Amino acid sequence: MSNLRNVAVVGFAQAPIVARDEHNTAQEMLYPQVRRALAECGVERDDIDYQIAGSSDYLDGRPFGFVAALDVMGSWPPRQDLHLEMDAIFGAYYAWLRMQAGDCDTAIVCGYGKTSEGEPVRLANLQLDPYYQAPIGLDLISTSALQASAFMNRARVSDRDLAEVVARSRAAGARNPETQLRSPASADELAATPWAVAPLRQGYLSPYGESAVCLILAAEGKAEKLCDRPAWIQGIDQRAELQSLGARDISRSAGAELATQRALAMAGLASARDVDVVEMTCATPAEDLILREAIGLDRGSDSPAVNPSGGPLCGNPLMMTGLIRLGEVFRQIAGKAGDHAVAGTRRGIAHGASGHCLQQNLVIVVGDERRWS
Amino acid sequence: MKRPVAVVGVGQTHHSARRADLSIPGLIQEAVDRALLDAGLEHKDIDAIVIGKAPDQLEGIMQPEQFLVGALGAHMKPMIRVHTAGSVGASTALTAATHVASGLFDRVLTVAFEKQSEGNAMWALSPTLPFTPPLVAGAGGFFAPYCRAYIAKTGAPPHIGPMTAANARANAARNEYAHLREPMTVEDVMNSPVLWDPIRYLETCPSSDGAIAMVLASEEVARKGPRKPAWIKAGASFAEAMWVPGRDQVSPRAGRDCVKKVYDAAGVTDPWNQIDTAEIYVPFAWFEAMWLENLGFCDVGEGWKIVDRGDQKFGAHLPINPSGGVLCTNPIGASGMLRLGEAALQVMGRAGEHQVEGAKLALGHAYGGGAQYFAIWIVGSEL
């Protein structure tokens, strides 16, 4: 791995996550983030070589919803461009690959979508295979509940344990001005909320809000000019798994485990405990614990800090939750995390996921030093 | 690109209006099995998967690649899902090429599909937006004004569209995989009803079920393969904004910029004479003349004259769409990759009855959105 290019996150802007923005379209929400991210780097759109976005036509409620985003991403003159029907963090992954191929030096990565215009929980039924799983009416909450149940049985985790995971996230979220749930909640309060689908209580579910995000990546030589403290990508890997809930052990995340091992190996690290911050895409407290296990973190430990932004349990804008994780780790390294800063952060892990029960996982290790010389 | 990339295997389904014999995973597997067999590889040899398709609404399944992981052989492998409107098949293959060019992957499987019989493409492509009157019925309603503008700008006579459509069918008759292969005359086309003026029924692409898969590989892998590969000489994807005053919708700048980048990288200075054959995205017959201009094969206003002279026919100076193209086979999400795959088959010398004799350099092209997305590659028989 001695021949890779050093690439860094150099800018990030996010619209505060809200349940529903009644005044702006997805594009109107995105445009200010593109401008803010460019301004943070002190450049104009013409200075960026490549653009890539992640969004979902189904969440948008129409085909080709992403076409409208071209305008606010500054696609004139015409730009080298790609759109993924995935969480936008996979766009960061691909932009990094393009830089490895020498096809660009700088890229903007955008995520957008308005979950309030539809019913994301029910919509997720349409993600399941149309022959066996979708017809029985599973949705995002019921598959998560099956996963939580399988995990709790295997790992001897109690309802109280789940409540405490959420309480920790909520306490952290109270320090993040851009997340959706900003009021702390105690484990007692959360454990008293009614069942959503047992063993998940309503207080344990991530809020499906809306936001818009723009992240800027730059290769060595450019990155230093755009940012005082770039967050250099040191390791990266992604893995997909079979969807069928019966075809894999949903009490674990084999994909997150393998992606972490590969990303850590690329970064030259022995363990995820060697980083200071982990931001991960967990839609339920059970997924928080499953991911800690897969990534290699101790269940109760605060070192490294896990989801100091409050994580998806405080704000989960679909199709950009993963990219926000990478933006958050960048903020920690660049000294821009404000009230939720983890002092002395030099290295972190950002984790993105897609699909039911952590079907696809992407792990990125970033740090304040270049990996390759 | 940091290192050379080759096409080492191509496989496509037999396309038809309704592949009732296959599920969606079955359709994927027909293409993937043929591509792997062609490359002399198995699933275990594949390092990553890049899949593309057009809007998920066409089949009614959100992010269907997730339930297709098994059919794609993607379990515990990296997988990327691309969607760039009609150009998606082509931009998907280019995304796969970047995976290999990056040096991180040696063998990448790329797949594109659409099973349009699962839904109704025309209405899936006719969204009504809030506070906006429903103006169009399907892509034809959207693109008919583009064709009218072309005719108004260039003075092209009315028989150009019908000539293009009849020629596409003559070509498809030589392609065993094509959906519509029955020959038809220019008169047949002229006598078919106008759907969206000036586009007639027989100047319109069909709705097809179909898939295509390719294996892209590094030079080292390609040299060891059982067959002569197609070398990717250059590729690019561009997009442009919709709401630009004065935007040329007939010959969009994104298309011109995209092909210029590709020609520059491939060392093409005289495309009309250097390119041996091209597979270009023509969903409505008039677009063949329009893209001939946009792709720089001729000057503005000259594209329809090429069609009128027949210089783009099979066996003529520059055969365009020897496979029959989108006008005869249109599984939307796969249509772009079919163009790139057919271009690759031509320079591999394995296009069967529609092989262009001695093809050494071929161009594959797709477009999408409101003629905003362009994805193009040039492949050659030599590195």
Side-chain angles (χ1 to χ4, degrees):
Chain A
M1 290 292 176
S2 60
N3 56 343
L4 295 184
R5 251 181 129 186
N6 290 305
V7 172
V9 183
V10 294
F12 178 67
Q14 172 197 344
I17 309 167
V18 292
R20 175 174 165 83
D21 181 337
E22 293 186 321
H23 304 289
N24 293 291
T25 64
Q27 294 75 40
E28 286 167 337
M29 290 174 74
L30 177 60
Y31 180 67
Q33 314 319 321
V34 175
R35 300 307 310 170
R36 282 174 61 203
L38 291 170
E40 183 181 14
C41 294
V43 294
E44 270 301 329
R45 179 63 191 82
D46 284 349
D47 299 316
I48 304 291
D49 303 335
Y50 189 67
Q51 67 184 27
I52 185 163
S55 74
S56 157
D57 271 349
Y58 258 107
L59 284 173
D60 212 41
R62 56 171 165 161
F64 308 132
F66 56 91
V67 177
L70 282 180
D71 290 74
V72 299
M73 288 166 72
S75 312
W76 192 265
R79 307 294 185 185
Q80 297 204 67
D81 171 276
L82 197 71
H83 171 264
L84 305 181
E85 197 83 353
M86 306 181 86
D87 188 299
I89 193 173
F90 288 87
Y93 171 86
Y94 180 65
W96 178 85
L97 271 186
R98 261 189 99 78
M99 290 185 199
Q100 300 309 322
D103 288 346
C104 66
D105 297 329
T106 48
I108 59 170
V109 185
C110 294
Y112 45 86
K114 283 180 74 82
T115 50
S116 70
E117 291 179 354
E119 294 176 68
V121 170
R122 284 179 62 193
L123 206 50
N125 172 265
L126 297 181
Q127 276 181 322
L128 294 164
D129 87 75
Y131 313 113
Y132 301 105
Q133 296 188 117
I136 60 176
L138 291 168
D139 64 17
L140 210 46
I141 298 177
S142 50
T143 57
S144 294
L146 288 168
Q147 175 197 36
S149 180
F151 172 71
M152 290 166 80
N153 279 315
R154 175 176 66 76
R156 301 284 163 210
V157 162
S158 67
D159 180 45
R160 181 74 196 182
D161 294 329
L162 297 191
E164 282 171 3
V165 168
V166 182
R168 275 209 300 271
S169 271
R170 293 288 294 272
R175 293 186 291 271
N176 178 1
E178 292 185 340
T179 198
Q180 185 176 341
L181 298 183
R182 299 190 54 213
S183 56
S186 70
D188 285 342
E189 289 170 71
L190 293 161
T193 58
W195 297 117
V197 177
L200 294 177
R201 295 179 183 277
Q202 285 176 10
Y204 301 174
L205 302 178
S206 64
Y208 294 108
E210 53 201 35
S211 178
V213 295
C214 179
L215 180 135
I216 301 183
L217 287 172
E220 186 170 7
K222 292 274 176 69
E224 303 84 344
K225 298 187 177 83
L226 304 185
C227 183
D228 293 337
R229 275 176 72 84
W232 298 99
I233 293 175
Q234 300 177 337
I236 191 165
D237 196 78
Q238 60 123 335
R239 300 286 149 172
E241 290 179 68
L242 290 168
Q243 179 182 66
S244 174
L245 305 183
R248 55 188 163 121
D249 180 355
I250 55 172
S251 80
R252 305 174 194 273
S253 180
E257 186 175 350
L258 180 59
T260 304
Q261 287 167 0
R262 300 286 298 244
L264 287 171
M266 189 187 280
L269 297 178
S271 159
R273 294 186 193 90
D274 296 338
V275 308
D276 305 302
V277 171
V278 178
E279 281 278 349
M280 57 193 200
T281 300
C282 50
T284 68
E287 284 193 351
D288 177 302
L289 298 174
I290 290 169
L291 284 169
R292 282 174 191 259
E293 190 181 278
I295 291 170
L297 304 172
D298 300 323
R299 194 185 290 172
S301 169
D302 284 332
S303 178
V306 174
N307 286 343
S309 68
L313 292 173
C314 294
N316 189 6
L318 297 173
M319 310 311 286
M320 60 200 104
T321 299
L323 190 61
I324 291 172
R325 307 278 71 73
L326 181 58
E328 282 292 343
V329 175
F330 161 69
R331 284 172 166 169
Q332 294 288 353
I333 289 168
K336 300 178 181 210
D339 287 345
H340 62 284
V342 176
T345 296
R346 297 193 56 194
R347 206 183 268 141
I349 289 176
H351 162 267
S354 182
H356 289 259
C357 304
L358 300 169
Q359 193 196 341
Q360 275 183 279
N361 293 274
L362 166 58
V363 173
I364 307 178
V365 179
V366 290
D368 67 350
E369 290 183 348
R370 293 166 187 77
R371 171 72 180 96
W372 296 280
S373 53
Chain B
M1 292 198 291
K2 190 164 103 180
R3 63 173 185 165
V5 184
V7 182
V8 299
V10 182
Q12 61 182 297
T13 58
H14 284 81
H15 312 287
S16 70
R18 184 171 168 81
R19 285 295 305 267
D21 56 322
L22 292 176
S23 63
I24 296 174
L27 192 74
I28 296 280
Q29 278 171 315
E30 185 170 295
V32 168
D33 288 352
R34 287 173 179 177
L36 289 173
L37 195 67
D38 199 43
L41 297 172
E42 296 177 31
H43 276 298
K44 66 174 170 52
D45 302 316
I46 299 297
D47 302 322
I49 288 87
V50 183
I51 178 171
K53 72 176 296 298
D56 294 352
Q57 282 91 343
L58 291 178
E59 287 87 3
I61 303 162
M62 183 178 171
Q63 295 171 299
E65 67 281 3
Q66 295 183 346
F67 97 92
L68 292 169
V69 162
L72 292 164
H75 184 56
M76 296 307 271
K77 292 179 183 176
M79 178 174 79
I80 288 284
R81 158 71 195 284
V82 179
H83 177 14
T84 60
S87 70
V88 63
S91 58
T92 300
L94 292 171
T95 300
T98 305
H99 276 64
V100 178
S102 74
L104 281 105
F105 304 95
D106 288 329
R107 300 170 200 82
V108 175
L109 175 68
T110 186
V111 185
F113 81 96
E114 211 72 69
K115 199 160 193 304
Q116 292 188 220
S117 67
E118 303 273 334
N120 183 318
M122 195 182 94
W123 294 111
L125 298 176
S126 305
T128 43
L129 302 175
F131 317 116
T132 307
L135 289 173
V136 303
F142 189 88
F143 287 118
Y146 292 48
C147 301
R148 288 203 296 277
Y150 175 73
I151 293 166
K153 277 187 176 181
T154 63
H159 64 268
I160 296 301
M163 278 182 81
T164 306
N167 181 54
R169 283 293 184 88
N171 288 348
R174 287 183 286 269
N175 176 5
E176 65 164 311
Y177 297 102
H179 172 183
L180 300 177
R181 302 182 65 197
E182 303 76 13
M184 62 189 185
T185 65
V186 175
E187 290 67 38
D188 292 337
V189 185
M190 295 286 252
N191 291 333
S192 68
V194 172
L195 297 185
W196 311 273
D197 181 36
I199 302 172
R200 293 179 180 82
Y201 178 69
L202 291 178
E203 292 170 278
T204 303
C205 57
S207 269
S208 312
D209 285 358
I212 172 168
M214 291 193 283
V215 180
L216 307 188
S218 63
E219 182 180 357
E220 193 189 352
V221 172
R223 299 240 183 248
K224 280 191 236 150
R227 299 176 195 281
K228 195 170 130 47
W231 298 98
I232 302 173
K233 312 292 282 185
S237 330
F238 274 71
E240 70 183 33
M242 172 73 91
W243 305 108
V244 179
R247 183 171 89 89
D248 186 347
Q249 287 142 314
V250 172
S251 185
R253 182 168 165 188
R256 287 181 274 132
D257 288 1
C258 188
V259 83
K260 180 178 188 309
K261 188 168 178 73
V262 171
Y263 287 153
D264 287 351
V268 172
T269 52
D270 179 6
W272 178 250
N273 288 309
Q274 284 176 272
I275 305 280
D276 298 309
T277 182
E279 284 277 347
I280 66 181
Y281 202 95
V282 180
F284 304 101
W286 284 96
F287 275 91
E288 188 155 306
M290 291 158 72
W291 295 144
L292 284 169
E293 298 175 19
N294 190 247
L295 290 167
F297 287 120
C298 59
D299 290 336
V300 173
E302 299 293 313
W304 68 264
K305 294 175 188 168
I306 291 175
V307 175
D308 210 22
R309 290 193 302 268
D311 286 345
Q312 97 296 14
K313 288 186 169 178
F314 191 70
H317 178 77
L318 176 63
I320 299 291
N321 294 333
S323 70
V326 183
L327 281 172
C328 303
T329 305
N330 184 37
I332 297 180
S335 290
M337 195 181 291
L338 283 164
R339 306 281 70 68
L340 271 52
E342 285 286 350
L345 286 170
Q346 290 288 350
V347 299
M348 291 161 133
R350 296 200 289 110
E353 284 183 57
H354 61 285
Q355 175 67 45
V356 173
E357 207 182 315
K360 290 190 166 57
L361 206 59
L363 179 146
H365 155 276
Y367 86 99
Q372 294 163 274
Y373 290 85
F374 293 84
I376 299 169
W377 83 10
I378 289 178
V379 283
S381 55
E382 305 298 330
L383 177 59

